[in-house]
Amino acid sequence: YKARFFKPEGRIVDTGNGGVSHTEGQGFAMLMAVANDDKATFDKPWQWTDRRLKNKENGLFYWRYNPAESNPVADKNNAADGDVLIAWALLKADARWHDKRYSAASDAITKALIDHSVIRYAGYRVMLPGVQGFKLEGEVVLNPSYFVFPAWQAFARRSHLPVWRDLIKDGKRLLGKMGSGKANLPTDWVSLASGGKLAPAKGWPPRMSYDAIRVPLYVAWSDKQSPLLTLWKAWFGQFPREQTPAWVNVATNEYAPYMMEGGLLAVRDFTMGQSSGEPEITSKDDYYSASLKMLVWIAQQ
């Protein structure tokens, strides 16, 4: 993974998206480095992210870095899952290497998330996908793959703040009601109306696709017995393993014309309770596929 996606300065390259970097990838890599007890590698992406992507105004991180542009961080928004993954990795780093600077940095990020990204809406406590652009007229837009339950559990244990327990409880309540269409699965982006109605968010294809595939990963990572996995097991289980479609359009019930492979299959296996052992990163795996393989491996530990 390091050989393929890690730049010496500490930037993780998204080979599927024109070589950009984003906080999600930085957080993934930091989690991998802790899991592999590789402090030198951990410090590189952490320091690069803190130096290049930190938003000094709100304590969160600019979500995307494009080295091809004169201003690599043109979009000043954050991505809440990236912030969460970075903060979680920092907490794990202190636990592993006993350096309080890591957990202090983690605490600052989680406080910024609560201050800027967590709101009460339609009777739920929710984490907005970013500070800007997701609270609309009469609705908020959510990304269920940003509900990183094992990280939220870690923050709850550390801080004892009720907000994290609320996010976990309400996140699970929402996921239980997000299923759409014949597949009865959540889409990548979901609208929560002020009256509480959930529907696929306008502006994105109504698909369970490359975002939503992380939903069962994070659910199973926090609780292998979660009843929320039942729908996913039913969905995956109706297809032979190698013939599971990569996405489904919940509005039309149309399947992807290509099948799950690589990291997507690793998530499927993990959800179904099948261990895939140590991950093999092949030349066929782009950044995202390889990352999912690695995350599944960490979750299995």
Side-chain angles (χ1 to χ4, degrees):
Y1 188 95
K2 227 160 114 176
R4 291 272 313 281
F5 309 109
F6 181 83
K7 287 265 188 249
E9 69 269 23
R11 186 168 81 78
I12 302 300
V13 178
D14 183 347
T15 54
N17 277 306
V20 304
S21 297
H22 24 72
T23 47
E24 162 209 280
Q26 300 301 112
F28 288 165
M30 289 164 65
L31 284 170
M32 293 171 205
V34 179
N36 283 285
D37 198 11
D38 184 349
K39 188 174 182 300
T41 299
F42 179 90
D43 285 335
K44 282 273 179 66
W46 164 230
Q47 287 160 5
W48 183 89
T49 305
D50 195 42
R51 199 169 58 243
R52 293 299 183 97
L53 301 181
K54 181 77 161 279
N55 182 339
K56 304 259 191 313
E57 283 175 26
N58 65 15
L60 299 171
F61 297 90
Y62 305 129
W63 75 281
R64 189 168 185 267
Y65 181 93
N66 187 347
E69 289 176 15
S70 57
N71 176 8
V73 286
D75 186 346
K76 300 298 190 234
N77 212 0
N78 67 309
D81 71 323
D83 300 324
V84 164
L85 293 163
I86 291 164
W88 186 28
L90 285 161
L91 210 49
K92 286 174 172 282
D94 180 15
R96 174 143 238 174
W97 299 311
H98 310 294
D99 184 336
K100 292 282 174 274
R101 288 172 301 181
Y102 293 137
S103 51
S106 175
D107 292 342
I109 298 164
T110 54
K111 183 182 185 307
L113 277 164
I114 293 167
D115 290 347
H116 299 288
S117 284
V118 176
I119 62 167
R120 285 189 187 278
Y121 196 81
Y124 299 95
R125 185 87 77 130
V126 294
M127 183 176 283
L128 295 173
V131 172
Q132 300 154 23
F134 296 98
K135 199 168 180 213
L136 310 174
E137 191 66 44
E139 64 170 328
V140 294
V141 173
L142 302 174
N143 186 319
S145 78
Y146 287 19
F147 299 1
V148 190
F149 293 113
W152 291 356
Q153 286 172 329
F155 302 153
R157 281 194 300 271
R158 176 166 174 82
S159 68
H160 306 292
L161 292 173
V163 60
W164 297 111
R165 299 266 171 237
D166 291 349
L167 279 170
I168 293 164
K169 182 174 91 274
D170 288 349
K172 289 177 177 174
R173 272 173 65 209
L174 284 163
L175 272 185
K177 299 175 185 177
M178 272 183 190
S180 286
K182 201 170 158 195
N184 200 16
L185 295 176
T187 49
D188 292 343
W189 295 89
V190 177
S191 159
L192 170 62
S194 54
K197 186 172 181 294
L198 290 155
K202 296 177 192 69
W204 287 273
R207 289 177 183 166
M208 183 296 290
S209 179
Y210 291 97
D211 270 14
I213 191 65
R214 298 196 299 266
V215 172
L217 168 64
Y218 293 142
V219 169
W221 196 331
S222 67
D223 176 11
K224 280 209 172 65
Q225 307 308 317
S226 171
L228 290 169
L229 295 173
T230 308
L231 291 173
W232 294 91
K233 288 175 177 170
W235 162 255
F236 292 141
Q238 66 185 309
F239 306 102
R241 182 179 179 272
E242 313 283 338
Q243 271 132 32
T244 311
W247 52 256
V248 57
N249 181 317
V250 300
T252 63
N253 208 38
E254 170 201 6
Y255 297 160
Y258 43 89
M259 302 304 149
M260 284 186 162
E261 52 186 23
L264 299 181
L265 274 183
V267 173
R268 181 196 190 278
D269 292 345
F270 183 55
T271 307
M272 301 299 272
Q274 295 152 354
S275 169
S276 35
E278 192 148 314
E280 196 182 326
I281 310 299
T282 72
S283 57
K284 274 177 72 178
D285 289 307
D286 65 6
Y287 145 83
Y288 189 57
S289 176
S291 296
L292 290 178
K293 282 184 175 180
M294 293 290 283
L295 291 174
V296 165
W297 174 73
I298 297 169
Q300 284 170 340
Q301 311 304 302

